[in-house]
Amino acid sequence: MTLIVSIGGNKHGKTDPYIKKDGVELDLILLIRTILAATKEIAFRVSQGELSGVLGSTLDENIQGEVQKKLDVLANQLLKDMLSDDDSVRSIASEEEEFVVPVHSTAPYIVAFDPLDGSSNIDINGQIGTIFTIYRARDDVAANSPEQFAQLGTEQVCAGYVLYGPSTYLMMTTGGPTRGYTLDLTHGGYLLTVPEVTLSQDSMEFSANMANYRYWQEGVQHYFDQVLYSSEDYKDVTMRYNGAMVGDINRILIKGGVFHYPSDARAGNENGKIRLLYEANPLAMLIEKAGGKATAHGKRIMALPPTSLHQRVPVVMGSNNLVDEFDKAIFSNSNV
Ligand code: P6P
């Protein structure tokens, strides 16, 4: 059964008409609220900027080999602490944690998150966001096993992000349509503001870090040569690139378009940079539930069997037509 979660009513103050509560799913509603409670605290710290004393970098690197920002560490700790107090959480995985964090050994759910996607934007007051995903826990492996998270993206029971922008914006699906919620600072609740997000097919906008062009495979370079220089179909093309995937995907969900992070020749980027568990899969679910497409190597991202906790995948996601055109151009055997 598809659960549509009420977080605090809609923008007219009425109760979210999509509430469906029953015993089993009520755990999920309460778990989502735990995650959102942490995001409200993160949103406050982010909005305080320099005043919060958490800008700038630490002296440490995370498992990804990236210098940790103070706000990365704070956001990660906030989410870990609040989820560790939630009886429905069996295991936690995070971009900032090398290993799975076991919590309650018989709890029904596991949670993975990127606590602060787009950290390079923190010190420039740019968009950043928290990406989260929830799966049912596996009883055939231990709570501290990475195998807990070796589940197809199609098994996600909830996927979402909170974008810390001019407004604090929650985009989430629990298996039904992707829905948008805006944090109402007057009473601290996320109010339903877009009951059903529908991805436009009319956009000619792409999002990619073109500075990586020289490292892309020849086929990908050729595709972008067509887009930028020769194809009549793309004469009205525009480009936007945020440096934080969560911000790019939010724009694409609202306006349409396509996001690319291809694999490239740099060491460690053989499979691109985007992590399957806590970036590609949750964002792919939001895109698909809004009517879009999300592929890696020409195949559906959410159907990719995971191989490791921090596994990377090359990603193309957004409006069906733009994803299909790329996949057709690059992968003769694609599933398009
Ligand atoms: P580049 C942020 O670190 C991130 O994982 C995504 O949110 C973002 O799209 C990408 O990396 C940016 O990477 O190589 O363009 O700086």
Side-chain angles (χ1 to χ4, degrees):
M1 180 181 80
T2 297
L3 166 87
I4 307 299
V5 179
S6 162
I7 305 297
N10 62 28
K11 64 184 174 184
H12 305 299
K14 300 190 184 67
T15 302
D16 179 333
Y18 304 103
I19 290 177
K20 286 186 186 153
K21 280 184 182 177
D22 67 29
V24 174
E25 271 73 11
L26 189 57
D27 284 356
L28 182 57
I29 291 181
L30 297 176
L31 172 53
I32 289 168
R33 285 182 171 164
T34 297
I35 294 171
L36 298 184
T39 66
K40 291 179 197 175
E41 175 63 24
I42 295 168
F44 172 71
R45 298 300 186 94
V46 168
S47 68
Q48 289 291 95
E50 289 285 356
L51 303 176
S52 63
V54 290
L55 296 191
S57 300
T58 67
L59 299 176
D60 302 318
E61 283 191 355
N62 62 14
I63 171 68
Q64 327 290 339
E66 298 162 341
V67 172
Q68 284 185 312
K69 298 286 190 181
K70 293 176 188 170
L71 210 47
D72 279 327
V73 174
L74 175 88
N76 185 58
Q77 197 57 52
L78 268 169
L79 282 157
K80 270 198 334 183
D81 290 348
M82 296 186 87
L83 288 168
S84 298
D85 282 345
D86 190 309
D87 294 342
S88 64
V89 177
R90 182 173 310 191
S91 313
I92 294 169
S94 166
E95 185 203 32
E96 302 299 334
E97 299 288 334
E98 185 169 2
F99 305 109
V100 170
V101 178
V103 186
H104 306 294
S105 59
T106 59
Y109 297 108
I110 61 176
V111 184
F113 52 81
D114 180 353
L116 221 49
D117 177 59
S119 306
S120 58
N121 282 353
I122 292 173
D123 296 346
I124 58 158
N125 200 24
Q127 282 186 331
I128 46 182
T130 297
I131 306 171
F132 61 90
T133 178
I134 303 172
Y135 293 80
R136 294 191 186 286
R138 291 176 56 175
D139 292 323
D140 59 336
V141 295
N144 67 345
S145 167
E147 290 302 305
Q148 277 291 345
F149 293 92
Q151 301 188 44
L152 296 182
T154 49
E155 296 302 308
Q156 296 174 101
V157 294
C158 175
Y161 59 72
V162 172
L163 181 64
Y164 308 109
S167 68
T168 298
Y169 194 73
L170 164 68
M171 200 70 95
M172 186 174 71
T173 173
T174 53
T178 294
R179 303 189 195 286
Y181 302 78
T182 303
L183 181 64
D184 180 345
L185 296 175
T186 59
H187 67 72
Y190 281 99
L191 300 188
L192 179 71
T193 42
V194 182
E196 287 199 35
V197 176
T198 305
L199 235 165
S200 162
Q201 302 288 327
D202 302 329
S203 167
M204 289 305 285
E205 186 166 278
F206 74 89
S207 186
N209 185 342
M210 293 308 293
N212 297 338
Y213 176 94
R214 70 175 71 189
Y215 303 117
W216 291 340
Q217 295 164 7
E218 197 175 314
V220 176
Q221 290 175 333
H222 179 65
Y223 171 79
F224 279 97
D225 291 346
Q226 301 285 313
V227 168
L228 294 174
Y229 307 116
S230 55
S231 165
E232 267 304 296
D233 296 342
Y234 285 93
K235 64 182 177 10
D236 300 324
V237 77
T238 63
M239 185 198 129
R240 293 286 183 276
Y241 192 69
N242 193 301
M245 187 176 181
V246 65
D248 287 317
I249 297 302
N250 190 66
R251 184 189 59 254
I252 288 167
L253 282 166
I254 293 168
K255 288 179 55 187
V258 61
F259 177 88
H260 293 267
Y261 206 104
S263 56
D264 70 53
R266 290 171 294 178
N269 277 18
E270 302 77 20
N271 283 304
K273 180 179 181 185
I274 307 304
R275 275 63 58 129
L276 177 63
L277 173 59
Y278 37 77
E279 290 174 315
N281 261 330
L283 296 176
M285 186 175 183
L286 291 164
I287 288 278
E288 287 198 7
K289 294 300 183 186
K293 226 171 198 180
T295 64
H297 307 295
K299 305 293 179 196
R300 187 185 181 200
I301 286 175
M302 292 212 300
L304 291 178
T307 56
S308 66
L309 197 60
H310 299 287
Q311 163 187 5
R312 298 179 178 203
V313 288
V315 301
V316 188
M317 55 173 82
S319 303
N320 285 348
N321 55 321
L322 297 174
V323 173
D324 285 349
E325 279 163 26
F326 176 82
D327 283 344
K328 278 177 189 158
I330 307 296
F331 304 99
S332 53
N333 63 338
S334 73
N335 60 347
V336 291

